[in-house]
Amino acid sequence: MSGVSVTKAAEDAVPAANDLVVLSNVNKHFGALHVLQDIDLTIARGEVVVVIGPSGSGKSTLCRTINRLETIDSGAISIDGKPLPQEGKELARLRADVGMVFQSFNLFAHKTVLENVMLGQLKVRKTDKQGATEKARSLLDRVGVASQADKYPSQLSGGQQQRVAIARALAMDPKVMLFDEPTSALDPEMINEVLEVMQQLARDGMTMVVVTHEMGFARSAANRVVFMADGKIVEEAAPDQFFSNPRSDRAKDFLSKILHH
Ligand SMILES: Nc1ncnc2c1ncn2[C@@H]1O[C@H](COP(=O)(O)OP(=O)(O)OP(=O)(O)O)[C@@H](O)[C@H]1O
Ligand SMILES: [Mg+2]
């Protein structure tokens, strides 16, 4: 599998120019809870990293620090060689560079599907209206919901709404896309249509960090699986290696639970 060689390369000496997201010795507390503990994680350009681990292990918090929805207490995070900006316009630009797709789709309820995908282009990227419309329509087509453009989010199925949320993030030409359990609020028959869009993105070379327990996706699309527990990265490996031969007891225990229920 091609992913294995990419992972190997990532673990060996990757030239710095190829590093897109770098977390170095990142720590974060929520009060007494040490939610991220000495996190070192480097994501190469074009790499797809799946993050899995038990509930409360810090997966969402990790994602949220990467686009600074959460601040960190110590350590450093950089994207494309630049440290995360603290505030203001720079921060807005960073948020646009880092697309985020959540479990709950977070679309604007009072705007149409098309308007949802246009908004960030107009406000943050300062695209003109015609350009934003054309791009929005083309992205809606790419995620398979072109015919829903003039509806409101509540008139769409969950799977369709999530695909619109992906199109909205893509409209900003992000450097990296973060997905936090994008399919876990969906009815089973809608999970695949969202995963297929994500698979295609991965094949197109998008750099992606995906929190998911969808093993099929991890096996077919990920270059690397990162296993978190209790705020730490416990184990990292190529998907085949991780699922067939986890090294840590914590990962073995976790996999036995999710694979057998
Ligand atoms: N804003 C917050 N304030 C205080 N504690 C928080 C906050 N956000 C998260 N936590 C706590 O931090 C820990 C990690 O939460 P996080 O949401 O990152 O876990 P997770 O791995 O994404 O879990 P899940 O699989 O359930 O989504 C949990 O114990 C959670 O209760
Ligand atoms: Mg979470």
Side-chain angles (χ1 to χ4, degrees):
M1 209 175 105
S2 65
V4 175
S5 60
V6 173
T7 304
K8 282 234 158 43
E11 280 173 0
D12 298 338
V14 179
N18 204 32
D19 295 347
L20 186 60
V21 181
V22 181
L23 290 87
S24 320
N25 204 18
V26 167
N27 283 280
K28 178 169 184 72
H29 297 77
F30 285 122
L33 178 70
H34 196 172
V35 61
L36 296 178
Q37 303 182 24
D38 299 325
I39 300 288
D40 285 310
L41 180 64
T42 297
I43 296 153
R45 232 172 271 280
E47 196 182 11
V48 177
V49 173
V50 160
V51 180
I52 71 170
S55 180
S57 56
K59 306 178 298 294
S60 294
T61 307
L62 177 75
C63 279
R64 292 166 59 83
T65 62
I66 298 177
N67 67 354
R68 217 169 179 285
L69 286 171
E70 298 284 359
T71 55
I72 58 176
D73 300 334
S74 65
I77 303 178
S78 67
I79 293 182
D80 218 356
K82 295 195 201 93
L84 292 198
Q86 301 296 307
E87 57 197 9
K89 280 204 174 118
E90 287 291 308
L91 183 56
R93 219 166 290 140
L94 165 92
R95 296 246 167 85
D97 281 347
V98 181
M100 178 117 194
V101 175
F102 302 89
Q103 177 176 335
S104 55
F105 325 120
N106 292 357
L107 296 171
F108 295 110
H110 58 288
K111 301 221 176 276
T112 66
V113 161
L114 187 72
E115 287 165 348
N116 264 279
V117 183
M118 289 172 65
L119 200 64
Q121 298 185 71
L122 299 173
K123 299 242 161 169
V124 181
R125 296 298 193 205
K126 309 289 181 203
T127 314
D128 64 71
K129 200 166 174 196
Q130 191 189 340
T133 309
E134 281 167 15
K135 186 164 190 170
R137 288 203 186 278
S138 132
L139 284 168
L140 289 172
D141 187 46
R142 181 166 165 196
V143 301
V145 290
S147 59
Q148 314 295 321
D150 298 320
K151 291 191 184 166
Y152 286 87
S154 62
Q155 297 171 297
L156 270 56
S157 73
Q160 289 170 328
Q161 288 186 59
Q162 193 59 302
R163 286 182 284 151
V164 174
I166 294 172
R168 181 177 60 173
L170 290 175
M172 310 303 282
D173 295 320
K175 291 178 177 166
V176 52
M177 289 276 286
L178 311 177
F179 294 85
D180 190 359
E181 304 209 32
T183 59
S184 54
L186 298 175
D187 291 337
E189 69 269 25
M190 289 167 197
I191 291 176
N192 278 340
E193 65 190 39
V194 171
L195 291 178
E196 274 164 27
V197 167
M198 293 168 60
Q199 296 266 14
Q200 188 58 50
L201 263 184
R203 281 196 292 270
D204 291 345
M206 177 61 75
T207 307
M208 295 163 65
V209 178
V210 185
V211 179
T212 184
H213 294 162
E214 293 291 337
M215 300 303 145
F217 176 83
R219 278 182 183 276
S220 60
N223 302 115
R224 186 161 41 130
V225 173
V226 167
F227 174 71
M228 283 186 77
D230 302 324
K232 297 192 191 83
I233 293 179
V234 174
E235 190 164 339
E236 294 181 62
D240 284 349
Q241 193 187 328
F242 178 77
F243 292 120
S244 60
N245 196 13
R247 293 186 302 261
S248 62
D249 289 342
R250 204 75 168 70
K252 283 178 196 162
D253 179 55
F254 175 76
L255 285 175
S256 72
K257 283 182 186 136
I258 60 165
L259 297 176
H260 297 132
H261 73 67

